[in-house]
């Protein structure tokens, strides 16, 4: 009986030691001790994440990670993840952080801790350069194309004056074709869609005003306050010194969106 009690005591003691060790874990210290940061990123979501011609992870998120690692004084290891497994990879310790186009939502915030935003998928009104439009009221009497039942359809419908004509197409591609062919002078679409516009007609169309946005954050395991604070310092730095602007211009063809400038 005593032997059993002793054995149980040992098991409980070991469990408490392990729990204490885990509770005291500090991923930032681990990263710095190891000399490498393992960053999970998508490689199937261009322009944020993709595989380049050298079969290496590339894109907006990769460029952010390539700045983060030297800022922490360590080497970078990019780890490809998928949409479904990215949070499990983080929570299981297979990666230290996620720079993986992860939109900041209340539901996800129950599983991970988010940095301040470093990227955003924005919905905006775009149109010909000679269209003098800066606000929703300027859409009066104008025709604007959107993909039917999309986020941009909802956003444009919400703000458009009664005299505006909203032409709804079956897809972004169809709405884009209407813009390119001159059927409509304006389109409501995402900044990712705007990349296609820029490729098809460089310099002929520009952003008029933003409608909505889904901001993205760098994710860490819950409770990693030291790492999170250090990452937020890094994000503030690349916003202030123009490096994040350069990444937006490189991959999205436009400056850092206004929503990223808000604190």
């Amino acid at each position: 009986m005593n032997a059993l009690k002793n054995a149980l005591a040992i098991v409980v003691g070991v469990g408490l030691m392990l729990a204490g060790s885990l509770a005291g874990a500090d991923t930032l210290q681990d990263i710095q001790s190891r000399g490498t940061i393992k960053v999970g990123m998508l490689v199937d979501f261009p322009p944020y994440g993709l595989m380049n011609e050298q079969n290496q992870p590339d894109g907006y998120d990769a460029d952010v990670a390539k700045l983060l690692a030297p800022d922490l004084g360590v080497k970078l290891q990019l780890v490809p993840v998928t949409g479904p497994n990215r949070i499990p990879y983080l929570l299981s310790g297979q990666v230290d952080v996620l720079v993986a186009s992860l939109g900041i939502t209340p539901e996800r915030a129950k599983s991970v801790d988010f940095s301040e935003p470093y990227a955003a998928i924005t919905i905006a009104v775009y149109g010909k350069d000679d269209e003098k439009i800066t606000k929703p009221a300027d859409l009066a009497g104008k025709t604007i194309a959107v993909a039917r039942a999309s986020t941009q359809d909802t956003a444009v419908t919400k703000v458009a004056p009664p005299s505006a004509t909203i032409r709804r197409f079956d897809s972004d591609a169809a709405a884009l074709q209407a813009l390119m062919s001159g059927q409509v002078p304006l389109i409501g679409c995402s900044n990712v869609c705007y990349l296609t516009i820029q490729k098809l007609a460089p310099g002929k169309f520009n952003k008029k005003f933003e409608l909505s946005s889904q901001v993205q954050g760098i994710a860490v395991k819950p409770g990693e306050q030291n790492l999170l604070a250090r990452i937020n310092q890094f994000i503030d730095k690349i916003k202030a010194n123009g490096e994040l602007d350069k990444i937006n211009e490189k991959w999205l063809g436009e400056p850092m969106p206004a929503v990223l400038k808000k604190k």
Side-chain angles (χ1 to χ4, degrees), residues 9-256:
I10 292 172
V11 169
V12 171
V14 169
L16 289 172
M17 288 174 60
L18 288 172
S21 175
L22 289 171
D26 188 320
T27 300
L28 179 58
Q29 287 184 359
D30 292 344
I31 290 167
Q32 292 172 333
S33 298
R34 190 192 316 134
T36 303
I37 183 170
K38 294 179 289 185
V39 176
M41 66 166 283
L42 300 179
V43 292
D44 60 354
F45 187 53
Y48 293 96
L50 54 101
M51 296 297 285
N52 62 23
E53 293 177 355
Q54 290 73 45
N55 202 35
Q56 295 296 316
D58 204 354
Y60 187 114
D61 287 345
D63 279 0
V64 171
K66 289 172 185 176
L67 293 176
L68 174 61
D71 195 73
L72 296 177
V74 297
K75 295 180 180 179
L76 174 64
Q77 179 184 346
L78 289 173
V79 181
V81 296
T82 66
N85 76 18
R86 54 190 166 175
I87 289 179
Y89 262 50
L90 175 66
L91 298 181
S92 64
Q94 295 180 69
V95 297
D96 300 312
V97 302
L98 291 174
V99 187
S101 305
L102 198 63
I104 300 175
T105 67
E107 187 63 29
R108 287 174 177 156
K110 296 175 183 177
S111 301
V112 302
D113 286 347
F114 281 106
S115 71
E116 61 185 69
Y118 75 95
I121 295 178
T122 59
I123 302 297
V125 172
Y126 297 90
K128 293 181 179 179
D129 278 351
D130 58 3
E131 290 286 343
K132 305 301 181 184
I133 292 172
T134 60
K135 57 186 182 299
D138 296 335
L139 295 176
K142 302 290 184 177
T143 299
I144 179 169
V146 296
R148 183 180 290 106
S150 63
T151 302
Q152 49 269 32
D153 185 354
T154 301
V156 169
T157 301
K158 183 178 179 180
V159 302
S163 62
T165 299
I166 303 173
R167 290 194 60 186
R168 295 175 173 86
F169 295 83
D170 289 337
S171 65
D172 277 327
L176 184 58
Q177 181 58 40
L179 180 73
M180 293 291 107
S181 64
Q183 295 178 52
V184 296
L186 302 164
I187 188 173
C189 67
S190 71
N191 52 352
V192 175
C193 176
Y194 180 60
L195 280 177
T196 303
I197 296 174
Q198 287 286 71
K199 290 176 182 177
L200 293 174
K204 293 185 178 180
F205 300 88
N206 60 30
K207 180 190 287 186
K208 303 305 179 182
F209 60 88
E210 290 182 11
L211 293 163
S212 63
S213 60
Q214 169 66 71
V215 293
Q216 301 161 18
I218 296 176
V220 304
K221 284 186 287 188
E224 292 290 350
Q225 294 306 309
N226 291 337
L227 178 59
L228 191 62
R230 186 64 181 79
I231 289 172
N232 281 333
Q233 289 177 7
F234 159 75
I235 293 173
D236 287 341
K237 175 181 174 181
I238 64 173
K239 285 179 180 179
N241 66 15
E243 289 177 309
L244 194 58
D245 245 336
K246 291 178 182 177
I247 292 174
N248 270 269
E249 289 281 5
K250 175 181 176 181
W251 293 106
L252 296 168
E254 59 184 1
M256 183 173 68

